[in-house]
Amino acid sequence: MDRAACKGKLPEIAAPAGNAECLTAALKYGADAVYLGLDRFNARMKADNFTLDNLKHWTGYAHQRGAKVYVAFNTLIKQVELFDAAENAVKALASGADAVILQDLGLFAAVKKLKPDAVIHASTQMGVHNAEGALYLKDLGASRVILSREVPLSDIAAIKNRSGLEVEVFVQGALCVSFSGNCYFSSAVSGYSGNRGMCMQLCRKKYTAVIGRGGDENGAKGGNEREADTGYLLSPSDLCLARNVNDLIAAGVDSFKIEGRMRRPEYVAEAVRVYKKAINGSVSGSDIDCLKSVYNRGDYSTGYLYPINGKDFIHTKLQGHKGLFCGGVTSVSGGVITIETRRGVHAGDAFKILRDGCEVGSAVADREQKAGKCVLSAKGKIKPGDTAHITTDMQQMKRLKHGG
């Protein structure tokens, strides 16, 4: 596409800020906006989060650096909580927040009643996936809709053009196996609801698929059942659209959202850096490798943006950070392994050791070593022929910390 024709219209990058360190990292690397939660009513209650007492300081900090702040009240609200939640949202706006992100339609109405000019972004958890849904929210007074992750590229432009609303799309980070994050698995099993900010990530557990007639109400198997597969059967790969930003820009997307309020500052910094390069048309394979080494679940997926490739979408062999492949294991002796790598290692570098894609051990570099045969301290049932994937690159951590 002709980027010159889009001058001044390129999407903002909205970065996650689970705590103050992540917020400062995002702004250091040029995020146009950060989104964060307070200590109540947000979908990441396990993050460090912020408070109404310190929000004014951090909105001022962001504004001084030319960035906006969006405060997430993106949970379902009980009747008894409605006034408090609405009042807190209005106080957040009074503290300098540029918008509040809402999931609950009742809260939406209550905030508008208290503050008719409130700038409200409709959360992705509202599940908006067509123009009619966006137009409905526009009539209610929303200024932006954060689309469901399930919206394909072919529909994004139509939603944008018909509604006239600002459109925000997730471009990086975790995907939810349920529709638009509306998962009730945790709630059904434990009472801790993902829609109340307490997701237990049960989708990341290992399961066995059973084919045949079900058993009795106590879980006993029926006679015709057979096990079909075992693995992380509900665990999607992470989303990565760094190579697809041209398509999103052409569709009229106003904001690129990076998921990750539970991830470390280095991840936030690297993701912002890479997407800034992508928007400017200069992202490379080495940039994607940098993303993979800070956090990579399943070697990435393009999610629902294009027709689904099931093999890329669900990663059944490993549910967590896979890292970046850096070499094969050539020998094992006690608690020491040797890997053949082209990159060399530095003291503190951490690795996952995989066999056929499944984790069998871990390793760490005790000292700096040049490319070639590198010796690592290791744990696990590791064998020659296994693969080493770097999950913490100390040189990368230092570079990101110092803004390099």
Side-chain angles (χ1 to χ4, degrees):
M1 67 175 295
D2 183 2
R3 291 177 177 272
C6 294
K7 189 175 182 180
K9 299 180 181 179
L10 293 177
E12 72 173 12
I13 295 176
N19 55 36
E21 195 175 0
C22 289
L23 184 150
T24 55
L27 299 183
K28 179 186 292 185
Y29 279 84
D32 305 292
V34 293
Y35 65 99
L36 54 87
L38 303 182
D39 50 2
R40 298 178 71 192
F41 312 121
N42 93 81
R44 291 292 183 268
M45 292 303 298
K46 296 178 183 179
D48 292 340
N49 292 313
F50 296 79
T51 67
L52 282 172
D53 290 335
N54 64 25
L55 182 61
K56 186 173 183 178
H57 166 77
W58 290 111
T59 56
Y61 181 90
H63 292 162
Q64 288 173 2
R65 288 154 179 81
K68 295 181 178 181
V69 176
Y70 308 137
V71 181
F73 292 84
N74 55 339
T75 59
L76 298 176
I77 305 298
K78 296 180 180 180
Q79 184 65 43
V80 70
E81 301 169 332
L82 186 59
F83 178 77
D84 281 348
E87 190 176 53
N88 281 6
V90 171
K91 287 180 178 178
L93 292 166
S95 296
D98 297 277
V100 289
I101 303 170
L102 306 184
Q103 174 188 6
D104 192 295
L105 285 173
L107 179 59
F108 194 118
V111 171
K112 278 294 186 182
K113 186 174 183 180
L114 288 176
K115 185 175 174 57
D117 63 345
V119 180
I120 297 177
H121 295 175
S123 169
T124 188
Q125 287 175 279
M126 281 195 177
V128 177
H129 56 282
N130 54 39
E132 284 68 24
L135 285 166
Y136 175 76
L137 288 166
K138 183 178 182 179
D139 288 343
L140 293 181
S143 63
R144 176 182 294 186
V145 59
I146 306 168
L147 294 180
S148 160
R149 290 169 172 86
E150 290 77 14
V151 177
L153 179 67
S154 56
D155 289 350
I156 293 174
I159 295 171
K160 170 67 179 177
N161 293 335
R162 285 190 57 194
S163 71
L165 286 175
E166 292 182 359
V167 167
E168 183 168 300
V169 170
F170 278 90
V171 294
Q172 181 72 31
L175 287 167
C176 184
V177 73
S178 69
F179 174 70
S180 205
N182 285 283
C183 181
Y184 293 88
F185 196 175
S186 291
S187 180
V189 170
S190 68
Y192 293 100
S193 174
N195 285 282
R196 299 275 295 167
M198 297 298 290
C199 177
M200 296 178 66
Q201 296 207 346
L202 298 179
C203 58
R204 307 300 183 186
K205 304 295 184 181
K206 188 174 284 188
Y207 297 99
T208 297
V210 178
I211 296 176
R213 293 186 177 182
D216 62 27
E217 61 184 12
N218 296 316
K221 289 184 179 181
N224 296 323
E225 292 181 347
R226 65 180 179 83
E227 294 185 359
D229 196 9
T230 296
Y232 301 100
L233 307 181
L234 301 177
S235 181
S237 301
D238 270 13
L239 179 69
C240 181
L241 300 179
R243 295 185 181 276
N244 309 100
V245 297
N246 283 357
D247 287 346
L248 294 170
I249 293 171
V253 174
D254 298 282
S255 179
F256 287 173
K257 189 165 197 171
I258 298 167
E259 185 277 339
R261 281 194 282 149
M262 298 293 291
R263 296 188 181 176
R264 55 189 177 183
E266 292 84 2
Y267 164 83
V268 176
E270 194 69 274
V272 171
R273 184 190 72 82
V274 170
Y275 278 89
K276 293 287 280 190
K277 289 190 69 176
I279 287 175
N280 291 323
S282 59
V283 73
S284 67
S286 63
D287 293 315
I288 305 301
D289 285 349
C290 287
L291 273 179
K292 284 187 174 183
S293 62
V294 288
Y295 203 91
N296 161 36
R297 182 184 277 118
D299 284 328
Y300 293 148
S301 165
T302 54
Y304 297 90
L305 194 67
Y306 309 103
I308 287 276
N309 180 340
K311 292 182 179 180
D312 292 339
F313 187 74
I314 297 292
H315 191 65
T316 62
K317 293 187 174 182
L318 185 70
Q319 61 83 25
H321 180 24
K322 182 177 182 178
L324 175 67
F325 171 77
C326 67
V329 177
T330 59
S331 66
V332 180
S333 178
V336 174
I337 65 172
T338 301
I339 65 171
E340 184 75 37
T341 176
R342 295 181 179 180
R343 59 182 292 136
V345 300
H346 298 85
D349 286 355
F351 304 81
K352 278 186 179 176
I353 310 301
L354 308 183
R355 183 182 307 142
D356 296 325
C358 298
E359 184 174 358
V360 293
S362 61
V364 63
D366 298 321
R367 64 186 188 278
E368 184 172 351
Q369 300 169 64
K370 294 181 179 180
K373 293 187 181 296
C374 296
V375 177
L376 311 174
S377 297
K379 297 179 181 179
K381 298 179 180 180
I382 304 170
K383 299 178 180 178
D386 294 341
T387 57
H389 299 249
I390 190 164
T391 53
T392 298
D393 181 333
M394 295 306 297
Q395 288 295 99
Q396 182 184 29
M397 297 297 107
K398 290 177 182 178
R399 169 176 62 80
L400 292 169
K401 183 176 181 179
H402 294 100

